[in-house]
Amino acid sequence: MKGEVLGGVGLQMSRDDNVVTAIDDVEAGAVIPYDSGEVGVEEAVPFGHKIALVELAPGDEVHKYGEVIGRATERIEPGQWVHTHNCRSTRGRGDITDGKEEVA
Amino acid sequence: METFAGFDRPSGPAGVRNYVAVIPVSVAASAVADAIADRAGEQVHSTPHQMGTDPPEQAREQIERTLSGIGTNPNVGAAVVVELGTESTDADAVADAIADAERDVEVLRIRDRGGTSAAVEAGVEAADRLWADIAGLERTEQDASQLIFGVECGGSDATSGIASNPAVGRACDRLVEDGGTASFSETPEFIGAEHILADRCESESLRERLLERVDFRESAAQLMGVDLRGAQPSPGNQEGGLTTIEEKSLGAIVKGGTTAVRGLVDYAESLPVGGGLVLMDTPGYDIESVVGKVAGGAQIVAFTTGRGSTTGNPIAPVIKVTGNPKTAERLASNMDIDVSTILEGESIESAGDRVYDLLLEVASGERTAAELRRLEEFAINELQPNELAQLRENA
């Protein structure tokens, strides 16, 4: 598979990605070795879902596949679950007008 | 060079199946078409759908193009076109297109026959007669370059972009290398990944056309003042770990492999033989999208699923590929190949080579899970008001 599985927990598809994909159901307390340190998983994350490797501020880009998959809508700590509750698409938004997007 | 055992046709590439198609031109003829296929032999397959008897002109053209494409698919040796008799959709035009491809075809008008019972009777006789003429056809060795391989994903989850789509993408690369055609579609699922496809387009004009199509699909959401997120990713996709349309698209486009994008065709428009990787501009509904590619000439389809889709097609065998180990186990009887082994360390190349081998086996007659269960979903894309308006503008 493309990318690298960090600590048997999460798949980092591309080296610059700031999230990993859980390759099995992950319990809180699991440890992901990252950037010569480690990230403690803060909550249970289901198989296939994403875990933040770094701290993200509202509006920060979320990277997977080495590409932008959306922006954080709230502050996300390393080890937290990243999904629709704290990350949103920037595309196909008929409910907002260009340049007036609110991410917070 | 790879080969498969297929059926020679009087024109066009070889088929991987040898069917008589029973093709209704509207919803009003669909029940009769189904009844004919049910009563005739196993090699007689119907394509029932929900299109009305008097669609707007641009929609009618798309319906006729789709049905003509279905009737001239290499898997179809002969066809019966069925109409009630009130349709503006032209059964004779569809039959003419099929006859132009040198297939035997008959038109059945329910009203002229004096009702549904008599029409079914006459339709079964016609189908049996047409079948008798092609039943003796035997499979012969065919070059893989004749294959048009439609690839689709449905019920996607995080494993789709990690395992099943890359594996199918590898099979597409193999087929393109062997001189064949691979095609994928669902333009809304290019959103967020279109820059990658655009960079792979063979010409600047193709690149511009692709980006225009993606813009149009994205602006459709804007036009309606709705948030695409309600539908994309779907609730099921979200449960499977996909958060945004960009994430879904980036995982989806890898099912087409890594070769240059050599063309972009409309829904159900003819796909070139020996054409390399060609995109089809379709909406994001699996069954309509599969039908569009089969109408474009795809003899065989690979359908990747993470959460577990069971759908097939009446004309082309559909190979179900999953990269989700739970789905591989839970829906084993509906899956044809398990590439969740990629999560355990099998290389994408190795899993993709298994998909390509299976593609050639199915092309040579091995039946898929959907075929064994006669799962033969069929639907034609219905143009939406904004699409009709754009087509009128361009006319």
Side-chain angles (χ1 to χ4, degrees), chain A residues 8 26-27 29 37 43-44 78 84 93 97-98 104:
Chain A
V26 177
E27 298 297 324
E43 55 197 316
T84 48
R93 295 293 301 277
T97 41
D98 286 346

Side-chain angles (χ1 to χ4, degrees), chain B residues 3 6 14 32 67 110-111 123 151 162 170 178 195 223 238-239 263 305 309 326 342 353 369 385 388:
Chain B
T3 61
V32 167
L67 298 177
I110 297 168
R111 282 194 171 177
V151 298
I162 296 169
R170 160 76 176 181
D178 284 339
H195 56 291
L223 187 76
Q238 293 182 20
E239 207 179 308
T305 184
S309 158
K326 291 167 190 167
I342 289 173
D353 289 348
L388 290 168

Side-chain angles (χ1 to χ4, degrees), chain A residues 50 67 69 83 88 91-92, chain B residues 194-195 218 229 243-244:
Chain A
K50 294 173 291 299
E67 300 283 342
I69 63 161
H83 200 29
R88 273 191 199 159
R91 302 290 302 271
Chain B
E194 71 270 46
H195 56 291
E218 190 172 3
R229 287 172 304 162
T243 304
T244 64

Side-chain angles (χ1 to χ4, degrees), chain B residues 197-267:
Chain B
L197 292 172
D199 284 349
R200 278 165 46 201
C201 281
E202 208 175 42
S203 70
E204 185 55 32
S205 60
L206 178 59
R207 175 192 164 87
E208 281 169 17
R209 212 154 52 85
L210 169 67
L211 292 173
E212 276 169 25
R213 297 301 181 96
V214 175
D215 269 353
F216 179 73
R217 298 278 178 188
E218 190 172 3
S219 65
Q222 249 121 32
L223 187 76
M224 289 182 274
V226 297
D227 177 357
L228 192 64
R229 287 172 304 162
Q232 290 284 15
S234 71
N237 296 151
Q238 293 182 20
E239 207 179 308
L242 299 177
T243 304
T244 64
I245 182 63
E246 296 95 310
E247 185 182 14
K248 183 174 173 176
S249 296
L250 290 161
I253 63 159
V254 296
K255 68 182 177 291
T258 59
T259 61
V261 177
R262 286 166 58 185
L264 170 67
V265 299
D266 282 330
Y267 182 84

